[in-house]
Amino acid sequence: MEAKLKNDKSDELRMFFLNFYRFVFTDTKMIMALNITDRCNLKCTHCYWWREEHPPQLDDDAMIALMKEQRKAGKNIALLYGGEPGLRPKIIKAASELFEATVVYTNGMVGFPDIEVTWMVSLDGTREIHDSIRGKGVYDKVMKNIERDTFRKPVVHFTITRQNQHNIEDMLKMVSDNKRIRGIGFSFFTPEQGKHDNGLFIPLDERDKIVDELMELRKTYWRVMGFNKGTANQFRTTGAYSKWNSLEKCTVTKMVDCFNADGTPITCIYGNNADCSRCGCGGIAAYRGAFKSWSPMALFTAAAMVASKKKEA
Ligand code: SF4
Ligand code: SF4
């Protein structure tokens, strides 16, 4: 019995170092990004998703089979999104059992069930702005769910657009005062090639000024902000932005395999037509900001992300 425990421990340690090496030093694809449903329980004004027709999504068995296949192919981390992924709790649960880490991007309307995942809840602003985009009463409903579901604290994901660019500090105050929220991460709106951006996109030179503003706000709200010097540098046109804002150079194409809800592969979570030259993805900026600058915190985060929990694929 003791010998078995020792073997388990050394297997875990071996897996940990192997995963850590792959994550930090290689471009091995360790992440699966999966749209688990095209259905949604909201009709946000800025969203093209609910207006479009989509091919039938994979049923539960087929979707779980796809996840297992990806797990066997070496994926450690699953990013689940939609539509509204919370409408398929069975798939979320299956992912949490298969992968070392699962992150779910949700609108928060069905709450944050007791599943071992990181919940990223999209808020577009404080009550008035959020409701003007997502519908009357939506903000209060989401906040109520955050208060009610105490198993795991969600992280707020705030996509900065023309509609909410002046609401950043109010959002930071709200998150900072709410002990049920872990923190807040930022992206900028990414338009699609050849499509109207509905006036949401903020031109890159103007965006640079918002990046400065975020860094200024960080002096006060650093405890809750998932945005630091490294991230800022990745977004700045005068910084490292040109090193990744194309399909060929982007970390997504090197590290992530993305899939539609019908199981077909796509180039990026934002879709096949996302305009890389105007990308505002906070995840890529944060990842590159951390791992291209080699901060101790980045290495700690990498260690936490790849830590093996000894799961069966
Ligand atoms: S919650 Fe997301 S997918 Fe649903 S309508 Fe709003 S933006 Fe679109
Ligand atoms: S849209 Fe952004 S995240 Fe997606 S592939 Fe292009 S640069 Fe990368």
Side-chain angles (χ1 to χ4, degrees):
M1 179 72 166
E2 212 170 284
K4 185 176 179 316
L5 277 177
K6 251 189 195 167
N7 280 342
D8 285 353
K9 279 276 166 232
S10 69
D11 276 357
E12 277 182 38
L13 210 59
R14 195 170 48 78
M15 277 308 293
F16 171 81
F17 283 113
L18 183 64
N19 286 336
F20 186 82
Y21 176 82
R22 290 168 69 212
F23 191 80
V24 176
F25 295 104
T26 75
D27 280 340
T28 311
K29 290 194 171 185
M30 291 180 69
I31 303 173
M32 171 190 206
L34 177 62
N35 170 1
I36 63 171
T37 180
D38 289 322
R39 288 184 294 130
C40 191
N41 46 9
L42 289 180
K43 287 187 173 171
C44 304
T45 54
H46 65 289
C47 180
Y48 58 91
W49 200 256
W50 59 269
R51 294 184 170 93
E52 293 177 349
E53 290 293 322
H54 301 281
Q57 62 190 30
L58 297 178
D59 65 22
D60 288 355
D61 288 347
M63 195 155 275
I64 291 169
L66 174 62
M67 293 195 297
K68 283 185 175 168
E69 197 183 281
Q70 287 293 307
R71 182 72 180 95
K72 279 194 182 126
K75 307 294 189 302
N76 277 18
I77 299 163
L79 310 179
L80 307 184
Y81 60 101
E84 171 44 44
L87 297 173
R88 293 190 82 177
K90 187 173 169 188
I91 300 297
I92 296 176
K93 181 94 175 56
S96 78
E97 286 163 3
L98 278 167
F99 295 91
E100 306 298 345
T102 301
V103 181
V104 185
Y105 293 83
T106 175
N107 63 28
M109 288 298 279
V110 292
F112 310 91
D114 187 354
I115 306 175
E116 200 180 331
V117 296
T118 298
W119 295 103
M120 296 285 289
V121 57
S122 296
L123 290 179
D124 294 327
T126 46
R127 184 182 290 108
E128 200 183 330
I129 292 182
H130 191 72
D131 283 4
S132 71
I133 296 168
R134 303 216 170 211
K136 198 168 173 350
V138 169
Y139 182 85
D140 285 343
K141 169 83 179 149
V142 174
M143 297 311 284
K144 210 167 152 191
N145 288 342
I146 290 174
E147 292 303 324
R148 185 197 63 196
D149 295 335
T150 52
F151 178 67
R152 285 185 169 242
K153 295 180 181 179
V155 176
V156 167
H157 182 240
F158 184 62
T159 301
I160 303 171
T161 69
R162 273 265 180 263
Q163 287 172 310
N164 61 20
Q165 69 182 101
H166 301 298
N167 196 223
I168 297 172
E169 185 161 11
D170 285 347
M171 279 296 284
L172 282 163
K173 268 191 201 134
M174 183 280 287
V175 169
S176 174
D177 291 345
N178 190 320
K179 302 295 169 239
R180 291 283 314 125
I181 297 175
R182 270 168 68 189
I184 178 167
F186 296 90
S187 287
F188 290 92
F189 175 75
T190 303
E192 279 197 272
Q193 300 173 56
K195 277 202 177 169
H196 196 269
D197 68 13
N198 294 327
L200 297 173
F201 177 70
I202 299 170
L204 299 181
D205 53 342
E206 205 179 316
R207 190 167 87 179
D208 281 350
K209 292 187 189 117
I210 298 176
V211 169
D212 293 343
E213 188 190 324
L214 283 164
M215 288 310 293
E216 198 53 38
L217 287 166
R218 191 176 154 79
K219 290 178 187 162
T220 308
Y221 298 103
W222 59 273
R223 276 178 203 281
V224 294
M225 276 179 86
F227 194 98
N228 57 26
K229 209 169 142 192
T231 317
N233 183 47
Q234 296 299 321
F235 272 129
R236 284 198 176 104
T237 51
T238 51
Y241 191 55
S242 62
K243 295 205 166 101
W244 61 272
N245 73 330
S246 71
L247 204 52
E248 301 72 41
K249 290 187 266 182
C250 177
T251 307
V252 163
T253 49
K254 296 188 173 69
M255 294 192 68
V256 189
D257 273 328
C258 309
F259 296 89
N260 275 324
D262 65 354
T264 52
I266 41 171
T267 47
C268 171
I269 293 180
Y270 293 130
N272 286 330
N273 295 320
D275 186 349
C276 295
S277 69
R278 296 187 289 169
C279 181
C281 178
I284 302 297
Y287 168 82
R288 285 186 52 91
F291 297 113
K292 301 294 168 184
S293 57
W294 297 106
S295 72
M297 184 47 89
L299 295 177
F300 176 78
T301 309
M305 287 189 82
V306 301
S308 170
K309 286 191 277 174
K310 203 172 186 318
K311 290 176 176 173
E312 297 299 318

